[in-house]
Structure formats: C-alpha cells, structure tokens
Amino acid sequence: MELRYATNELERRCTDSRYMQRQLGPQTAKALKRRIAELRRVEEMDDLLLGVGRWEKLKANRQGEWSARLTANWRLIVRPETHEAGIVLVVDIEDYH
C-alpha cells in the first residue's frame, strides 16, 4: 500500500527514526516501524487482520478508521482512502483509552 500522512509532523514522526525515538521512546518507535512496514506490505486492509499487529476496525465516531496496537495504550490510527484503492492515510498516533 501507498502511505500518506495527515500532517507533516506525523510524517516525520513515522519516517525519521531518530525523531521517532525521541518523540515516542524506543519501545513505541520499534512497534511503529513494524506497523508501518506491515501497511506497506499488504494489498488490502483486511490482510492486516491475519497479521500480528492486532489491527482492528474502529466503530462509532471513528467508523472507517483502523487502529494497530503499539503499546498497551498507544495506537496507530489509519484510514483507507475510499476513492483511491491501495492508499492509506495515517491519521494519528494516540492514546485514545
């Protein structure tokens, strides 16, 4: 899949390893790198459900978005682009619990 990012700050946080570790810590940064790699490898979002990233479709006010566990509380939030197949928008990295 092709990845796009909601903001320039978020793109830097997801692509610059040193910045990622400073902002998120080594454990979360390592998990984020794995989730980004998973997104790049799959062809369809449903393929993520078969992997180890604990991906899930979100509901209610987050319907249409997916999350992947980074740590016990932190999640990577993405949204597939409905008008362009094979493109995913990285929405946020957050603790929404």
Side-chain angles (χ1 to χ4, degrees):
M1 293 224 168
E2 178 185 334
L3 300 181
R4 294 187 182 161
Y5 300 88
T7 65
N8 290 336
E9 165 67 21
L10 185 58
E11 182 174 6
R12 183 174 180 206
R13 191 178 290 180
C14 291
T15 58
D16 182 336
S17 293
R18 291 180 67 204
Y19 187 71
M20 183 189 304
Q21 285 198 3
R22 277 195 313 265
Q23 294 290 311
L24 303 171
Q27 178 185 1
T28 307
K30 184 177 179 181
L32 177 58
K33 287 178 189 179
R34 283 193 307 254
R35 300 302 163 250
I36 294 293
E38 288 174 4
L39 279 171
R40 291 181 194 274
R41 278 194 307 266
V42 299
E43 293 181 22
E44 295 180 12
M45 291 300 289
D46 286 336
D47 295 343
L48 293 169
L49 297 173
L50 305 173
V52 297
R54 298 178 87 177
W55 289 88
E56 60 184 346
K57 295 178 186 179
L58 299 178
K59 301 174 185 169
N61 62 337
R62 290 195 170 264
Q63 188 168 357
E65 295 180 340
W66 289 60
S67 76
R69 183 172 295 215
L70 299 176
T71 65
N73 291 332
W74 289 90
R75 304 291 186 268
L76 173 65
I77 311 296
V78 300
R79 181 177 55 240
E81 293 290 334
T82 55
H83 60 281
E84 294 183 60
I87 297 177
V88 173
L89 178 68
V90 177
V91 177
D92 204 358
I93 299 167
E94 63 182 84
D95 177 359
Y96 65 81
H97 287 93

